[in-house]
Amino acid sequence: MADTEEENPKEVLCSCSGTTRGLIIELVAQGKDLDAISRYSGALSGCGGCEWEITELVNALNAKT
């Protein structure tokens, strides 16, 4: 995975809810876990197509802290 800051923050990671990469980055910075991200954004609660990519992004962001 490329460095998350270099990737497009406007990229939609969850097409069901319209959740962007930038929003996920913001929510992780606020200390939210996957469950809280799902509740707040609606991501990870529809078809499941975004689960892998969002989980990988959250794990990568958490590994940096």
Side-chain angles (χ1 to χ4, degrees):
M1 173 181 275
D3 193 25
T4 54
E5 285 81 20
E6 295 176 9
E7 295 184 28
N8 182 1
K10 294 183 181 180
E11 176 187 4
V12 175
L13 297 185
C14 177
S15 58
C16 294
S17 68
T19 302
T20 63
R21 177 178 300 279
L23 179 59
I24 298 295
I25 292 169
E26 287 176 31
L27 295 174
V28 169
Q30 294 172 14
K32 291 184 175 27
D33 62 8
L34 286 171
D35 289 332
I37 289 169
S38 179
R39 286 191 307 274
Y40 181 85
S41 69
L44 305 165
S45 61
C47 73
C50 64
E51 184 175 354
W52 184 85
E53 190 166 7
I54 290 176
T55 300
E56 288 294 308
L57 175 58
V58 170
N59 288 342
L61 292 167
N62 285 330
K64 287 184 174 188
T65 58

